[in-house]
Amino acid sequence: MNILIVEDEKLAVRKLTKLLEETAPEFVIKGITPSIEATVEWISENRETGSAEPDIIFLDIELADGQSFEIFNRIEIRSTVIFTTSYDEYALQAFKVNSIDYLLKPVQQEDLQRSIRKFYDLTGNQRKPEMPALPANLENILKNLQLQQPAADYRKRFLVKQGARMMSVEISEIAYFYIEDGVSFFKNQQGQKFVVDYRMDELELFLDPDRFFRINRGLIVTHQSVTQIQPYYNNRLALTLKPTFEKESIVSREKTNDFKKWMGK
């Protein structure tokens, strides 16, 4: 299955690419475009060369040069469309075009799996897991996308409440983020605790991966917060954090190798 991703946020591209690789390894990403203009041009050139139409277009709604609905006014879209967006007010309009689903960002793996199942059910296609997940030139595609986009705009600070007042906390002051009873918090270097109004998946997109690492579903750490690393059963790692974290800080098995590389940077 051939895929076109239309997305102007590099972090969202990386996350969707990773989810597709894990969820549907038979999908081949043929192109990544960041704007209305680039998408219309890509589809036109693809047709001129006689290449097959993408089976699915993952289409962000809010692009740098306008809403992606404009693409449908400028060129015939023959592919199945799955919209991805941070906003839910466009759902009705999305289903007026070739869309079969509407995924809210940050895209969750279970939602993507549902969309893919829906695509196969509606088209009658059979899954072919032996096909390669990504084209050999994906690295070049991503580099080309990077040239067309500004540098990643990671969060530099968070606005939080302290009693009755609001205050801005610089990223450099944050030790780690964590989940407690379904609510996201962070602790600063002095051990003060603050509520942050984002889910962990959203925080993972906002934060510079050179500075922050998500060790499991409920904990994102910084280098300076890790004071000790010990082997843990089932090929995991146990961390000691500063300031003190009251729960276990366990690096999940699938992230152990990446965590070691990250700590060694």
Side-chain angles (χ1 to χ4, degrees):
M1 295 294 165
N2 295 329
I3 304 300
L4 172 64
I5 296 176
V6 181
E7 173 60 71
D8 64 349
E9 297 176 8
K10 285 188 291 185
L11 294 175
V13 169
R14 290 174 189 162
K15 183 174 179 63
L16 181 56
T17 299
K18 181 180 178 183
L19 285 176
L20 284 169
E21 187 176 9
E22 295 172 350
T23 305
E26 70 273 22
F27 283 6
V28 179
I29 299 175
K30 303 298 288 186
I32 301 171
T33 57
S35 65
I36 295 169
E37 292 290 340
T39 303
V40 171
E41 182 179 347
W42 188 95
I43 294 172
S44 297
E45 291 179 353
N46 191 63
R47 289 175 183 169
E48 288 174 3
T49 60
S51 300
E53 299 282 334
D55 294 286
I56 300 177
I57 299 176
F58 285 91
L59 187 58
D60 185 21
I61 291 180
E62 293 289 351
L63 299 172
D65 55 350
Q67 291 183 358
S68 61
F69 298 117
E70 175 62 21
I71 295 170
F72 296 86
N73 296 328
R74 296 178 54 177
I75 194 168
E76 180 188 3
I77 299 299
R78 303 166 186 166
S79 308
T80 297
V81 174
I82 296 176
F83 281 99
T84 62
T85 180
S86 300
Y87 311 97
D88 59 7
E89 63 263 33
Y90 301 117
L92 182 60
Q93 191 173 354
F95 284 109
K96 291 181 179 178
V97 292
N98 301 38
S99 172
I100 64 165
D101 215 340
Y102 185 95
L103 302 178
L104 287 176
K105 295 180 184 177
V107 176
Q108 304 298 308
Q109 189 167 37
E110 56 269 26
D111 294 333
L112 180 60
Q113 289 172 335
R114 183 200 67 228
S115 294
I116 292 171
R117 284 196 302 269
K118 188 174 182 180
F119 167 76
Y120 281 114
D121 289 342
L122 291 173
T123 61
N125 287 297
Q126 299 296 316
R127 302 196 71 160
K128 299 177 181 178
E130 302 303 320
M131 293 178 64
L134 300 170
N137 66 337
L138 177 61
E139 183 177 355
N140 291 332
I141 292 174
L142 290 173
K143 285 181 179 178
N144 186 51
L145 175 66
Q146 186 171 2
L147 291 174
Q148 299 179 57
Q149 295 178 304
D153 187 19
Y154 299 115
R155 291 294 291 267
K156 297 178 177 62
R157 60 192 63 85
F158 285 87
L159 187 66
V160 296
K161 284 186 177 181
Q162 187 179 52
R165 68 188 183 97
M166 306 288 288
M167 62 180 291
S168 181
V169 179
E170 298 289 328
I171 281 291
S172 59
E173 299 176 34
I174 297 174
Y176 50 80
F177 294 85
Y178 62 98
I179 291 289
E180 184 177 284
D181 297 327
V183 179
S184 299
F185 296 88
F186 70 76
K187 279 191 178 181
N188 65 12
Q189 304 292 348
Q190 291 72 44
Q192 293 175 295
K193 173 180 174 181
F194 299 92
V195 174
V196 58
D197 192 24
Y198 295 101
R199 302 192 303 272
M200 295 296 280
D201 286 336
E202 293 175 311
L203 289 169
E204 193 175 14
L205 290 175
F206 295 156
L207 300 171
D208 184 347
D210 286 338
R211 182 189 292 265
F212 294 89
F213 190 93
R214 187 175 182 180
I215 65 170
N216 57 45
R217 291 178 63 85
L219 187 56
I220 298 174
V221 301
T222 58
H223 292 95
Q224 65 266 31
S225 69
V226 180
T227 61
Q228 191 172 6
I229 305 172
Q230 294 181 317
Y232 199 70
Y233 77 91
N234 202 17
N235 295 319
R236 294 180 292 172
L237 298 171
L239 308 182
T240 301
L241 301 183
K242 181 182 70 174
T244 302
F245 186 59
E246 291 75 14
K247 300 179 181 179
E248 286 188 321
S249 309
I250 306 300
V251 182
S252 62
R253 183 173 58 181
E254 63 271 17
K255 295 194 174 187
T256 295
N257 288 335
D258 288 340
F259 174 76
K260 290 178 180 177
K261 292 176 184 176
W262 175 78
M263 282 298 295
K265 284 184 178 180

